[in-house]
């Protein structure tokens, strides 16, 4: 997650210390800015304005937002549902739809497969062929298969095929 | 089906065919140079053919039967079938005497290769799943740190 800081050097140092062990990165072009009161808010960005004394709370807001970023919005049974990415088994393109499978339900998603691949890569969501992403946490077993392919057996017993190209990628990921 | 066929595996099979060809020349008595080259080409193309057919057949297998046991079973079944085919073809071309010590040694060598490949593949399967567990643990730890 990228943020930018507009504040005094003293507050900046304290915030940098706080986020040192997280994967929050300070980026000039970040869309979320922590702005200390008294400094100008940049246009076209989301600004979180805080009093110098409340810098800790400002960082907490960012961390909370980061936690929420593990949620995926899915549509099923005429309603939208928020699900944690760790509950997802796999995502797949089915016709023109993008679907997401959890243990008990299939949801329709709005964005593209590439979007979810990029966003949840660090949470173990991995591309296994042109039309499927899998949650590696839901993989029970990797079975070697013919034609230099791999088959992933999921917790719910479903088998997913890793294409030859993505077999190489997966092997690199697992450091094989 | 054709998309799934791995050309590299077919070529590898042709190479194995050539190696077996060399071994069969060694085990057969009194072959002229021309006969040797012919048998080498024959076993190479036979390897390529067998490799392509095996790739095509295995491409048809549904992944719903993908279990470690079924993989190793089918793999060995194919190995035994291919060995049998090699025995059948070499014996028809070279009039090999099956009681010949050299030929028996050649067969034992093929079976030994099959055995070693199986052991290596099984080791690879165990290693892959260990790496998977390790990867899952690292993701879980990362998630836990964040929450």
């Amino acid at each position: 997650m990228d943020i930018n800081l507009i504040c005094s050097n003293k507050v900046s140092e304290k915030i940098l210390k706080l986020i040192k062990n997280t994967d929050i990165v300070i980026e000039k072009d970040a869309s979320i800015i922590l702005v200390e009161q008294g400094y100008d808010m940049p246009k076209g960005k989301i600004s979180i304005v805080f009093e110098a004394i409340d810098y800790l709370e400002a960082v907490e807001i960012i961390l909370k937002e980061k936690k929420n970023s593990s949620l995926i919005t899915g549509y099923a049974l005429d309603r939208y549902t928020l699900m944690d990415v760790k509950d997802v088994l796999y995502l797949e393109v089915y016709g023109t739809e993008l679907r997401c499978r959890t243990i008990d339900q299939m949801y329709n998603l709005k964005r593209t497969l590439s979007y979810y691949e990029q966003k949840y890569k660090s949470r173990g969501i991995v591309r296994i062929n042109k039309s499927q992403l899998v949650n590696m946490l839901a993989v029970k077993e990797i079975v070697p298969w013919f034609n230099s392919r791999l088959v992933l057996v999921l917790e719910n017993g479903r088998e997913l095929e890793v294409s030859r190209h993505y077999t190489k990628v997966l092997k690199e990921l697992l450091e094989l | 089906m054709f998309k799934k066929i791995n050309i590299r595996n077919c070529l590898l099979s042709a190479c194995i065919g050539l190696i077996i060809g060399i071994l069969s020349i060694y085990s057969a008595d009194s072959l002229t140079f021309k006969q040797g080259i012919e048998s080498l080409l024959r076993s190479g193309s036979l390897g390529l053919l067998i490799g392509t057919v095996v790739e095509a057949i295995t491409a048809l297998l549904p992944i719903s039967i993908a279990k470690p046991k079924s993989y190793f079973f089918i793999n060995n079944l194919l190995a035994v079938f291919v060995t049998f085919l090699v025995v059948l073809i070499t014996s028809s071309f070279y009039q090999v005497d099956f009681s010949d010590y050299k030929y028996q040694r050649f067969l034992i060598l093929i079976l030994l290769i099959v055995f070693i490949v199986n052991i290596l593949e099984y080791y690879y399967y165990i290693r892959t799943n260990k790496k998977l567990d390790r990867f899952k643990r690292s993701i879980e730890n990362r998630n836990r740190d964040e929450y």
Side-chain angles (χ1 to χ4, degrees), chain A residues 23 66-67 70 84 122-123 136-137 139 141-142 144 146-149 159 164 171 173-175, chain B residues 4-6 9 55 58-59 64 67-68 71 74 124-125 129 131-132 135-136 142-143 146-147:
Chain A
D23 58 357
K66 196 165 148 23
K67 185 183 165 186
S70 72
D84 200 301
S122 63
R123 293 184 186 272
M136 290 303 284
L137 292 178
V139 177
E141 190 176 28
I142 299 177
F146 302 98
N147 314 100
S148 310
R149 289 173 292 156
E159 297 93 0
R164 215 156 50 227
K171 279 179 183 173
L173 188 73
L174 297 178
E175 294 168 9
Chain B
K4 288 180 183 172
I5 292 176
N6 191 350
N9 288 352
E55 279 287 303
T58 51
S64 55
K67 304 274 177 297
Y71 172 72
I74 298 168
Y124 176 74
Y125 157 71
N129 283 287
K131 290 271 184 180
L132 170 70
F135 180 76
K136 280 162 75 174
R142 196 186 302 161
N143 287 349
E146 282 180 11
Y147 286 126

Side-chain angles (χ1 to χ4, degrees), chain A residues 7-24:
Chain A
C7 55
S8 63
N9 286 341
K10 204 174 171 185
V11 172
S12 174
E13 270 173 35
K14 285 177 180 173
I15 291 176
L16 288 174
K17 253 187 204 173
L18 272 176
I19 61 170
K20 201 172 134 190
N21 294 323
T22 69
D23 58 357
I24 295 172

Side-chain angles (χ1 to χ4, degrees), chain B residues 37-87:
Chain B
I37 295 292
E38 270 176 13
S39 79
L40 211 60
L41 288 174
R42 207 177 290 135
S43 54
S45 28
L46 185 69
L48 184 66
L49 183 73
I50 289 172
T52 312
V53 170
V54 167
E55 279 287 303
I57 291 170
T58 51
L60 293 172
L61 294 172
I63 58 161
S64 55
I65 61 161
K67 304 274 177 297
K69 274 181 195 169
S70 56
Y71 172 72
F72 286 106
F73 176 73
I74 298 168
N75 216 5
N76 280 296
L77 203 68
L78 286 169
V80 168
F81 174 71
V82 170
T83 310
F84 174 73
L85 209 66
V86 169
V87 169

Side-chain angles (χ1 to χ4, degrees), chain B residues 107-140:
Chain B
L107 272 181
I108 287 169
L109 187 71
I110 292 179
L111 290 173
L112 197 69
I113 290 169
V114 171
F115 177 74
I116 290 168
V117 168
N118 261 293
I119 297 284
L120 289 175
E121 281 218 73
Y122 187 70
Y123 167 73
Y124 176 74
Y125 157 71
I126 298 287
R127 187 167 169 260
T128 304
N129 283 287
K130 273 187 182 166
K131 290 271 184 180
L132 170 70
D133 287 340
R134 192 194 287 178
F135 180 76
K136 280 162 75 174
R137 271 202 303 276
S138 74
I139 295 282
E140 276 165 354

